[in-house]
Coordinates of all heavy atoms in Angstrom, one line a residue:
M1 N -21.2 118.1 50.4 CA -19.8 118.4 50.0 C -19.0 117.9 51.2 O -19.2 118.1 52.3 CB -19.6 119.9 49.9 CG -18.2 120.3 49.5 SD -18.1 121.9 48.8 CE -17.3 122.7 50.2
V2 N -17.9 117.1 50.8 CA -17.0 116.6 51.8 C -16.0 117.6 52.3 O -15.4 118.3 51.4 CB -16.3 115.3 51.3 CG1 -15.3 114.8 52.3 CG2 -17.3 114.3 50.9
Q3 N -16.0 117.9 53.6 CA -15.0 118.9 54.1 C -13.7 118.2 54.4 O -13.7 117.1 54.9 CB -15.6 119.5 55.3 CG -16.9 120.3 55.1 CD -16.7 121.5 54.3 OE1 -15.7 122.2 54.5 NE2 -17.6 121.9 53.4
P4 N -12.6 118.9 54.2 CA -11.3 118.3 54.6 C -11.2 118.3 56.1 O -11.8 119.1 56.8 CB -10.3 119.3 54.0 CG -11.1 120.6 53.8 CD -12.5 120.2 53.6
K5 N -10.5 117.3 56.6 CA -10.2 117.2 58.0 C -9.2 118.3 58.5 O -8.3 118.6 57.7 CB -9.7 115.8 58.4 CG -10.7 114.7 58.1 CD -10.1 113.4 58.5 CE -11.2 112.3 58.2 NZ -10.8 111.0 58.5
I6 N -9.4 118.8 59.7 CA -8.5 119.8 60.2 C -7.4 119.0 60.9 O -7.7 118.2 61.8 CB -9.2 120.7 61.2 CG1 -10.3 121.5 60.5 CG2 -8.2 121.6 61.9 CD1 -11.1 122.4 61.4
R7 N -6.2 119.2 60.5 CA -5.1 118.5 61.0 C -4.4 119.4 62.0 O -4.0 120.5 61.7 CB -4.1 118.1 59.9 CG -3.0 117.1 60.3 CD -2.1 116.8 59.2 NE -1.0 117.8 59.2 CZ -0.6 118.5 58.1 NH1 -1.1 118.3 57.0 NH2 0.4 119.3 58.3
V8 N -4.3 119.0 63.3 CA -3.6 119.8 64.3 C -2.1 119.7 64.0 O -1.5 118.7 64.0 CB -4.0 119.3 65.7 CG1 -3.3 120.1 66.8 CG2 -5.5 119.3 65.9
R9 N -1.6 120.9 63.8 CA -0.1 121.0 63.5 C 0.6 121.6 64.6 O 0.1 122.6 65.2 CB 0.1 121.8 62.2 CG -0.5 121.2 61.0 CD -0.6 122.1 59.8 NE -1.5 123.2 60.2 CZ -1.5 124.4 59.7 NH1 -0.6 124.8 58.8 NH2 -2.4 125.3 60.1
K10 N 1.8 121.1 64.9 CA 2.7 121.7 65.9 C 3.2 123.0 65.3 O 3.7 123.0 64.1 CB 3.8 120.8 66.2 CG 4.7 121.3 67.3 CD 5.7 120.3 67.7 CE 6.6 120.9 68.8 NZ 7.7 120.1 69.2
M11 N 3.2 124.0 66.1 CA 3.8 125.3 65.6 C 5.0 125.7 66.5 O 4.8 126.0 67.6 CB 2.7 126.4 65.8 CG 1.5 126.2 64.9 SD 0.4 127.6 65.2 CE -1.0 127.0 64.2
D12 N 6.1 125.6 65.9 CA 7.3 125.9 66.6 C 8.1 126.8 65.7 O 9.3 126.5 65.3 CB 8.1 124.7 67.1 CG 8.4 123.7 65.9 OD1 7.9 124.0 64.8 OD2 9.1 122.7 66.2
F13 N 7.5 127.9 65.3 CA 8.2 128.8 64.4 C 9.4 129.5 65.0 O 9.3 130.0 66.2 CB 7.2 129.9 63.9 CG 6.0 129.4 63.3 CD1 4.7 129.7 63.9 CD2 6.0 128.6 62.2 CE1 3.6 129.2 63.3 CE2 4.8 128.2 61.6 CZ 3.6 128.5 62.2
P14 N 10.5 129.5 64.3 CA 11.7 130.1 64.9 C 11.6 131.7 64.8 O 11.2 132.2 63.7 CB 12.8 129.6 64.1 CG 12.2 129.3 62.8 CD 10.8 128.9 63.1
F15 N 11.8 132.3 65.9 CA 11.9 133.8 65.9 C 13.3 134.2 66.3 O 13.7 133.8 67.4 CB 10.9 134.4 66.8 CG 9.5 134.2 66.4 CD1 8.7 133.2 66.9 CD2 8.9 135.0 65.3 CE1 7.4 133.0 66.5 CE2 7.6 134.8 64.9 CZ 6.9 133.8 65.5
D16 N 14.0 134.8 65.4 CA 15.4 135.1 65.7 C 15.7 136.6 65.5 O 14.8 137.4 65.2 CB 16.4 134.2 64.9 CG 16.2 134.3 63.4 OD1 15.7 135.4 63.0 OD2 16.5 133.4 62.7
D17 N 16.9 137.0 65.6 CA 17.3 138.4 65.4 C 17.3 138.8 64.0 O 17.5 140.0 63.7 CB 18.7 138.6 66.0 CG 18.8 138.4 67.5 OD1 17.7 138.6 68.1 OD2 19.9 138.2 68.0
G18 N 17.0 137.9 63.0 CA 16.9 138.2 61.6 C 15.6 138.9 61.2 O 15.5 139.4 60.1
V19 N 14.6 139.0 62.1 CA 13.4 139.7 61.8 C 13.6 141.2 62.1 O 14.0 141.7 63.1 CB 12.2 139.2 62.8 CG1 11.0 140.0 62.5 CG2 12.0 137.7 62.6
P20 N 13.4 142.0 61.0 CA 13.6 143.5 61.1 C 12.6 144.1 62.1 O 11.5 143.6 62.3 CB 13.4 144.0 59.7 CG 12.6 143.0 59.0 CD 12.9 141.7 59.7
R21 N 13.1 145.2 62.7 CA 12.2 145.9 63.7 C 10.9 146.3 63.1 O 9.8 146.1 63.7 CB 13.0 147.1 64.2 CG 12.1 147.9 65.2 CD 12.9 149.1 65.7 NE 12.0 149.8 66.7 CZ 12.4 150.6 67.6 NH1 13.7 150.8 67.8 NH2 11.5 151.1 68.4
H22 N 10.8 146.8 61.9 CA 9.6 147.2 61.2 C 9.4 146.1 60.1 O 9.6 146.4 59.0 CB 9.7 148.6 60.7 CG 9.9 149.6 61.8 ND1 10.9 150.5 61.8 CD2 9.2 149.8 63.0 CE1 10.8 151.3 62.9 NE2 9.8 150.8 63.6
W23 N 8.9 145.0 60.6 CA 8.8 143.8 59.7 C 7.7 143.9 58.7 O 7.8 143.2 57.7 CB 8.6 142.6 60.6 CG 7.5 142.6 61.5 CD1 7.5 143.1 62.8 CD2 6.1 142.3 61.2 NE1 6.2 143.0 63.3 CE2 5.4 142.5 62.4 CE3 5.5 141.8 60.1 CZ2 4.0 142.3 62.4 CZ3 4.1 141.5 60.1 CH2 3.4 141.8 61.3
M24 N 6.7 144.8 58.8 CA 5.6 144.9 57.9 C 6.0 146.0 56.8 O 5.7 147.2 57.1 CB 4.3 145.2 58.6 CG 3.1 145.2 57.7 SD 2.9 143.6 56.8 CE 1.8 144.1 55.6
G25 N 6.6 145.6 55.8 CA 6.9 146.5 54.7 C 7.8 147.7 55.1 O 7.7 148.7 54.5
D26 N 8.6 147.4 56.1 CA 9.5 148.4 56.6 C 8.8 149.7 57.1 O 9.3 150.8 57.0 CB 10.6 148.8 55.6 CG 11.8 149.4 56.2 OD1 12.1 149.2 57.4 OD2 12.5 150.3 55.6
C27 N 7.5 149.5 57.5 CA 6.7 150.6 58.0 C 6.3 150.5 59.4 O 5.7 149.5 59.9 CB 5.4 150.6 57.1 SG 4.2 151.9 57.6
A28 N 6.7 151.5 60.2 CA 6.5 151.4 61.7 C 5.0 151.4 62.0 O 4.6 150.6 62.9 CB 7.1 152.6 62.3
K29 N 4.2 152.1 61.3 CA 2.8 152.2 61.6 C 2.1 150.8 61.4 O 1.3 150.3 62.2 CB 2.1 153.3 60.8 CG 2.4 154.7 61.2 CD 1.7 155.7 60.4 CE 2.1 157.1 60.7 NZ 1.4 158.1 59.9
F30 N 2.3 150.2 60.2 CA 1.7 148.9 59.9 C 2.2 147.9 60.9 O 1.5 147.0 61.4 CB 2.0 148.5 58.5 CG 1.3 149.2 57.4 CD1 1.7 149.3 56.1 CD2 0.0 149.8 57.7 CE1 1.0 150.0 55.2 CE2 -0.7 150.5 56.8 CZ -0.2 150.6 55.5
T31 N 3.5 147.9 61.2 CA 4.1 146.9 62.1 C 3.5 147.0 63.5 O 3.1 146.0 64.1 CB 5.6 147.1 62.2 OG1 6.2 146.9 60.9 CG2 6.3 146.1 63.2
H32 N 3.4 148.2 64.0 CA 2.8 148.4 65.3 C 1.3 148.1 65.3 O 0.8 147.5 66.3 CB 3.0 149.8 65.8 CG 4.4 150.1 66.1 ND1 5.3 149.3 66.9 CD2 5.2 151.2 65.7 CE1 6.5 149.8 66.9 NE2 6.5 151.0 66.2
A33 N 0.6 148.4 64.3 CA -0.8 148.0 64.2 C -1.0 146.5 64.2 O -1.9 146.0 65.0 CB -1.5 148.6 62.9
L34 N -0.2 145.8 63.5 CA -0.3 144.3 63.4 C 0.2 143.7 64.7 O -0.4 142.7 65.2 CB 0.4 143.8 62.2 CG -0.3 144.1 60.9 CD1 0.5 143.6 59.7 CD2 -1.7 143.5 60.9
N35 N 1.2 144.3 65.3 CA 1.6 143.8 66.7 C 0.5 144.0 67.7 O 0.3 143.1 68.5 CB 2.9 144.5 67.1 CG 4.1 144.1 66.4 OD1 4.2 143.0 65.8 ND2 5.2 144.9 66.4
G36 N -0.2 145.1 67.6 CA -1.3 145.3 68.5 C -2.4 144.3 68.3 O -3.0 143.8 69.2
L37 N -2.7 144.1 67.0 CA -3.8 143.1 66.7 C -3.4 141.7 67.2 O -4.2 141.0 67.7 CB -4.0 143.1 65.2 CG -5.1 142.2 64.6 CD1 -6.4 142.7 65.2 CD2 -5.1 142.2 63.1
H38 N -2.1 141.4 67.1 CA -1.6 140.1 67.6 C -2.0 139.9 69.1 O -2.2 138.8 69.6 CB -0.1 140.1 67.4 CG 0.6 138.9 68.1 ND1 0.8 137.7 67.5 CD2 1.2 138.9 69.3 CE1 1.4 136.9 68.4 NE2 1.7 137.6 69.5
L39 N -2.0 141.0 69.9 CA -2.3 140.9 71.3 C -3.8 140.4 71.5 O -4.1 139.9 72.6 CB -2.1 142.2 72.0 CG -0.7 142.7 72.0 CD1 -0.6 144.2 72.5 CD2 0.2 141.8 72.8
L40 N -4.7 140.7 70.6 CA -6.1 140.3 70.7 C -6.3 138.9 70.3 O -7.3 138.3 70.8 CB -6.9 141.2 69.8 CG -6.9 142.7 70.1 CD1 -7.7 143.5 69.1 CD2 -7.4 143.0 71.5
F41 N -5.5 138.3 69.5 CA -5.7 136.9 69.0 C -6.0 135.9 70.1 O -6.9 135.1 70.0 CB -4.6 136.5 68.1 CG -4.6 137.1 66.7 CD1 -3.6 137.0 65.9 CD2 -5.7 137.9 66.3 CE1 -3.6 137.6 64.6 CE2 -5.7 138.5 65.1 CZ -4.7 138.4 64.2
P42 N -5.1 135.8 71.1 CA -5.3 134.7 72.1 C -6.7 134.8 72.8 O -7.4 133.8 72.9 CB -4.2 135.0 73.2 CG -3.1 135.6 72.4 CD -3.9 136.5 71.4
E43 N -7.2 136.0 73.1 CA -8.5 136.1 73.7 C -9.6 135.7 72.7 O -10.6 135.0 73.1 CB -8.8 137.5 74.3 CG -10.0 137.6 75.1 CD -10.1 136.6 76.2 OE1 -9.1 136.4 76.9 OE2 -11.2 136.1 76.5
G44 N -9.4 136.1 71.5 CA -10.4 135.7 70.4 C -10.4 134.2 70.2 O -11.5 133.6 70.1
E45 N -9.3 133.6 70.3 CA -9.2 132.1 70.1 C -9.9 131.4 71.3 O -10.6 130.4 71.1 CB -7.8 131.7 69.9 CG -7.3 132.0 68.5 CD -5.8 131.9 68.3 OE1 -5.0 131.9 69.3 OE2 -5.4 131.9 67.1
R46 N -9.6 131.9 72.5 CA -10.3 131.4 73.7 C -11.8 131.5 73.6 O -12.6 130.6 74.0 CB -9.7 132.0 75.0 CG -8.4 131.5 75.3 CD -7.9 132.0 76.7 NE -7.6 133.4 76.7 CZ -6.3 133.8 76.5 NH1 -5.3 133.0 76.2 NH2 -6.1 135.1 76.6
F47 N -12.3 132.6 73.1 CA -13.7 132.9 72.9 C -14.3 131.8 71.9 O -15.3 131.2 72.2 CB -14.0 134.3 72.3 CG -15.4 134.5 71.9 CD1 -16.4 134.7 72.8 CD2 -15.7 134.4 70.5 CE1 -17.7 134.9 72.3 CE2 -17.0 134.6 70.1 CZ -18.0 134.8 71.0
F48 N -13.6 131.6 70.8 CA -14.1 130.6 69.8 C -14.1 129.2 70.5 O -15.1 128.4 70.3 CB -13.3 130.6 68.6 CG -13.5 131.8 67.7 CD1 -12.4 132.5 67.3 CD2 -14.8 132.1 67.3 CE1 -12.7 133.6 66.4 CE2 -15.0 133.2 66.5 CZ -14.0 134.0 66.0
M49 N -13.1 128.9 71.3 CA -13.1 127.6 71.9 C -14.2 127.4 72.9 O -14.8 126.3 73.0 CB -11.7 127.4 72.6 CG -10.6 127.2 71.5 SD -8.9 127.3 72.2 CE -9.0 125.8 73.2
R50 N -14.5 128.4 73.7 CA -15.6 128.4 74.6 C -16.9 128.2 73.9 O -17.8 127.4 74.3 CB -15.7 129.6 75.5 CG -14.7 129.7 76.6 CD -14.9 130.8 77.6 NE -15.1 132.1 77.0 CZ -14.2 133.0 76.7 NH1 -12.9 132.7 77.0 NH2 -14.5 134.2 76.2
S51 N -17.1 128.9 72.8 CA -18.3 128.8 72.0 C -18.5 127.4 71.4 O -19.6 126.8 71.5 CB -18.3 129.8 70.8 OG -18.2 131.1 71.3
V52 N -17.4 126.8 70.9 CA -17.5 125.5 70.4 C -17.8 124.5 71.5 O -18.6 123.6 71.3 CB -16.2 125.1 69.6 CG1 -16.1 123.6 69.3 CG2 -16.1 125.9 68.4
R53 N -17.1 124.6 72.6 CA -17.3 123.7 73.7 C -18.8 123.7 74.2 O -19.4 122.7 74.5 CB -16.4 124.0 74.9 CG -16.5 123.0 76.0 CD -15.6 123.4 77.2 NE -14.3 123.8 76.9 CZ -13.7 124.9 77.2 NH1 -14.3 125.8 78.0 NH2 -12.4 125.2 76.9
H54 N -19.4 124.9 74.2 CA -20.8 125.0 74.6 C -21.7 124.2 73.7 O -22.7 123.6 74.3 CB -21.2 126.5 74.5 CG -22.6 126.8 74.8 ND1 -23.1 126.8 76.1 CD2 -23.7 127.0 74.0 CE1 -24.4 127.0 76.1 NE2 -24.8 127.1 74.8
Y55 N -21.5 124.1 72.4 CA -22.4 123.3 71.5 C -22.0 121.9 71.3 O -22.7 121.1 70.7 CB -22.5 124.1 70.2 CG -23.3 125.3 70.4 CD1 -22.7 126.6 70.4 CD2 -24.7 125.3 70.5 CE1 -23.4 127.7 70.6 CE2 -25.5 126.4 70.6 CZ -24.8 127.7 70.7 OH -25.6 128.8 70.9
M56 N -20.8 121.5 71.8 CA -20.4 120.1 71.5 C -21.4 119.0 71.9 O -21.6 118.1 71.2 CB -19.0 119.8 72.2 CG -17.8 120.3 71.4 SD -17.5 119.5 69.9 CE -16.9 117.9 70.4
P57 N -22.1 119.1 73.1 CA -23.0 118.1 73.5 C -24.2 117.9 72.5 O -24.8 116.9 72.5 CB -23.5 118.6 74.8 CG -22.5 119.5 75.4 CD -21.9 120.1 74.1
H58 N -24.4 118.9 71.7 CA -25.6 118.9 70.8 C -25.2 118.4 69.4 O -26.1 118.1 68.6 CB -26.2 120.3 70.6 CG -26.5 120.9 71.9 ND1 -27.6 120.5 72.7 CD2 -25.9 121.9 72.6 CE1 -27.7 121.2 73.8 NE2 -26.7 122.1 73.8
I59 N -23.9 118.2 69.1 CA -23.5 117.7 67.8 C -23.6 116.2 67.8 O -23.0 115.5 68.7 CB -22.1 118.1 67.5 CG1 -22.0 119.7 67.5 CG2 -21.6 117.6 66.2 CD1 -20.6 120.2 67.3
K60 N -24.3 115.6 66.8 CA -24.5 114.2 66.7 C -23.8 113.6 65.5 O -23.5 112.4 65.5 CB -26.0 113.8 66.6 CG -26.8 114.4 67.7 CD -26.4 113.9 69.1 CE -27.3 114.5 70.2 NZ -26.6 114.6 71.4
D61 N -23.5 114.4 64.5 CA -22.8 113.9 63.3 C -21.3 113.5 63.6 O -20.6 114.4 64.0 CB -22.9 114.9 62.2 CG -22.2 114.6 60.9 OD1 -21.4 113.6 60.9 OD2 -22.5 115.3 59.9
P62 N -20.9 112.3 63.5 CA -19.5 111.9 63.8 C -18.5 112.7 63.0 O -17.4 113.0 63.5 CB -19.5 110.4 63.5 CG -20.9 109.9 63.4 CD -21.7 111.1 63.1
D63 N -18.8 112.9 61.7 CA -17.8 113.7 60.9 C -17.6 115.1 61.4 O -16.5 115.6 61.5 CB -18.3 113.7 59.4 CG -17.3 114.4 58.5 OD1 -16.1 114.0 58.6 OD2 -17.7 115.3 57.8
L64 N -18.7 115.7 61.8 CA -18.7 117.1 62.3 C -18.0 117.1 63.7 O -17.2 118.0 64.0 CB -20.1 117.7 62.5 CG -20.2 119.1 62.9 CD1 -19.3 120.0 62.0 CD2 -21.6 119.6 62.9
I65 N -18.2 116.1 64.5 CA -17.5 116.0 65.8 C -16.0 115.9 65.6 O -15.2 116.6 66.3 CB -18.0 114.8 66.6 CG1 -19.5 115.0 67.1 CG2 -17.1 114.5 67.8 CD1 -20.1 113.8 67.7
E66 N -15.6 115.1 64.6 CA -14.2 115.0 64.3 C -13.6 116.3 63.8 O -12.5 116.7 64.2 CB -13.9 113.9 63.2 CG -12.5 113.7 62.9 CD -12.3 112.6 61.9 OE1 -13.2 111.9 61.6 OE2 -11.2 112.5 61.4
R67 N -14.3 117.0 63.0 CA -13.8 118.3 62.5 C -13.8 119.4 63.6 O -12.8 120.2 63.6 CB -14.7 118.8 61.3 CG -14.5 117.9 60.1 CD -15.1 118.5 58.8 NE -16.1 119.5 59.1 CZ -17.3 119.6 58.5 NH1 -17.7 118.7 57.7 NH2 -18.2 120.5 58.8
V68 N -14.8 119.4 64.4 CA -14.8 120.3 65.5 C -13.7 120.0 66.5 O -13.0 121.0 67.0 CB -16.2 120.3 66.2 CG1 -16.1 121.0 67.6 CG2 -17.3 120.9 65.4
S69 N -13.4 118.8 66.7 CA -12.3 118.4 67.6 C -11.0 118.9 67.0 O -10.1 119.4 67.7 CB -12.3 116.9 67.8 OG -13.4 116.5 68.5
G70 N -10.8 118.7 65.7 CA -9.6 119.2 65.0 C -9.5 120.8 65.1 O -8.4 121.3 65.4
F71 N -10.6 121.4 65.0 CA -10.6 122.9 65.1 C -10.2 123.3 66.5 O -9.4 124.2 66.7 CB -12.0 123.4 64.8 CG -12.3 124.9 65.3 CD1 -11.8 125.9 64.5 CD2 -12.9 125.1 66.5 CE1 -12.0 127.2 64.9 CE2 -13.1 126.4 66.9 CZ -12.7 127.5 66.1
Y72 N -10.8 122.6 67.5 CA -10.5 122.9 68.9 C -9.0 122.7 69.2 O -8.4 123.5 69.8 CB -11.4 122.0 69.8 CG -11.5 122.4 71.2 CD1 -12.3 123.4 71.6 CD2 -10.7 121.8 72.2 CE1 -12.4 123.8 72.9 CE2 -10.7 122.2 73.5 CZ -11.6 123.2 73.8 OH -11.7 123.6 75.1
G73 N -8.5 121.6 68.7 CA -7.1 121.3 68.9 C -6.2 122.3 68.3 O -5.2 122.8 68.8
Q74 N -6.5 122.7 67.0 CA -5.7 123.7 66.3 C -5.7 125.1 67.0 O -4.7 125.8 67.1 CB -6.1 123.8 64.9 CG -5.2 124.6 64.0 CD -3.8 124.0 63.9 OE1 -3.7 122.8 63.8 NE2 -2.8 124.8 64.0
E75 N -6.9 125.5 67.5 CA -7.0 126.8 68.2 C -6.2 126.7 69.5 O -5.6 127.7 69.9 CB -8.5 127.1 68.4 CG -9.3 127.5 67.2 CD -8.6 128.7 66.5 OE1 -8.4 129.7 67.1 OE2 -8.3 128.6 65.3
A76 N -6.2 125.6 70.2 CA -5.4 125.5 71.4 C -4.0 125.7 71.1 O -3.2 126.4 71.8 CB -5.7 124.1 72.0
R77 N -3.5 125.1 70.0 CA -2.1 125.3 69.6 C -1.8 126.7 69.2 O -0.8 127.3 69.6 CB -1.8 124.4 68.3 CG -1.8 123.0 68.6 CD -0.4 122.5 68.9 NE -0.4 121.1 69.0 CZ 0.7 120.4 69.3 NH1 1.8 121.0 69.5 NH2 0.6 119.1 69.4
H78 N -2.7 127.4 68.5 CA -2.6 128.8 68.2 C -2.4 129.6 69.5 O -1.5 130.5 69.5 CB -3.8 129.3 67.4 CG -3.8 128.9 66.0 ND1 -5.0 129.0 65.3 CD2 -2.9 128.4 65.2 CE1 -4.7 128.6 64.0 NE2 -3.5 128.2 64.0
G79 N -3.3 129.4 70.4 CA -3.2 130.2 71.7 C -1.9 130.0 72.4 O -1.3 130.9 72.9
L80 N -1.4 128.7 72.4 CA -0.1 128.5 73.0 C 1.0 129.2 72.3 O 2.0 129.7 72.9 CB 0.2 127.0 73.1 CG -0.7 126.2 74.0 CD1 -0.4 124.7 73.8 CD2 -0.5 126.6 75.5
E81 N 1.0 129.2 71.0 CA 2.0 129.9 70.2 C 2.0 131.4 70.4 O 3.1 132.0 70.6 CB 1.8 129.5 68.7 CG 3.0 130.0 67.8 CD 4.3 129.3 68.1 OE1 4.3 128.2 68.7 OE2 5.3 129.8 67.7
H82 N 0.8 132.0 70.5 CA 0.8 133.4 70.7 C 1.3 133.8 72.1 O 2.0 134.8 72.3 CB -0.7 133.9 70.7 CG -1.2 134.0 69.3 ND1 -0.7 135.0 68.4 CD2 -2.2 133.3 68.6 CE1 -1.4 134.9 67.2 NE2 -2.2 133.9 67.4
E83 N 1.0 132.9 73.1 CA 1.5 133.2 74.4 C 3.0 132.9 74.6 O 3.7 133.5 75.4 CB 0.7 132.4 75.4 CG -0.7 132.9 75.5 CD -1.6 132.0 76.3 OE1 -1.2 131.0 76.9 OE2 -2.8 132.4 76.4
R84 N 3.6 132.1 73.7 CA 5.0 131.7 73.8 C 5.8 132.9 73.3 O 6.9 133.1 73.8 CB 5.3 130.5 72.9 CG 6.7 130.1 72.9 CD 6.9 128.9 72.0 NE 6.9 129.2 70.6 CZ 7.9 129.6 69.9 NH1 9.1 129.8 70.5 NH2 7.8 129.9 68.6
T85 N 5.4 133.7 72.3 CA 6.2 134.7 71.7 C 6.1 136.0 72.5 O 5.3 136.2 73.3 CB 5.7 135.0 70.3 OG1 4.4 135.4 70.3 CG2 5.9 133.8 69.4

């Protein structure tokens, strides 16, 4: 099965004063829970990147190398976006 290529996209989402304080269904509990989860994402993304980097020397399939490189690039962008906000 042919896998789609991972396209590294720039993430420059605008965050402005139009976002309500309790943005998740106007519910403080859900909003705070998801805000807390958001704090874990950068470390999880760094973990995945370290894991992928560890196995890169063992990958011989050029298509898989390209897809892994796309994954790596996209995760790097995600990490930067989480740290920006």
Side-chain angles (χ1 to χ4, degrees):
M1 181 164 109
V2 176
Q3 296 291 324
K5 293 181 181 178
I6 297 175
R7 195 179 87 228
V8 179
R9 296 168 293 156
K10 183 177 180 183
M11 297 181 184
D12 54 356
F13 304 120
F15 293 101
D16 57 28
D17 293 337
V19 177
R21 180 177 179 160
H22 299 127
W23 55 268
M24 183 60 194
D26 199 30
C27 177
K29 288 180 184 179
F30 285 155
T31 298
H32 293 310
L34 290 176
N35 285 342
L37 186 61
H38 169 89
L39 296 173
L40 300 174
F41 287 169
E43 187 56 38
E45 287 166 341
R46 285 189 285 270
F47 168 78
F48 286 127
M49 290 170 65
R50 284 192 308 272
S51 300
V52 168
R53 186 181 314 124
H54 176 77
Y55 288 101
M56 278 296 284
H58 305 288
I59 300 173
K60 305 301 180 208
D61 180 346
D63 182 54
L64 183 55
I65 290 171
E66 183 179 348
R67 291 190 343 227
V68 167
S69 295
F71 166 81
Y72 196 82
Q74 190 63 40
E75 288 303 307
R77 291 267 186 181
H78 284 162
L80 291 173
E81 188 66 19
H82 284 292
E83 291 171 5
R84 181 180 75 86
T85 58

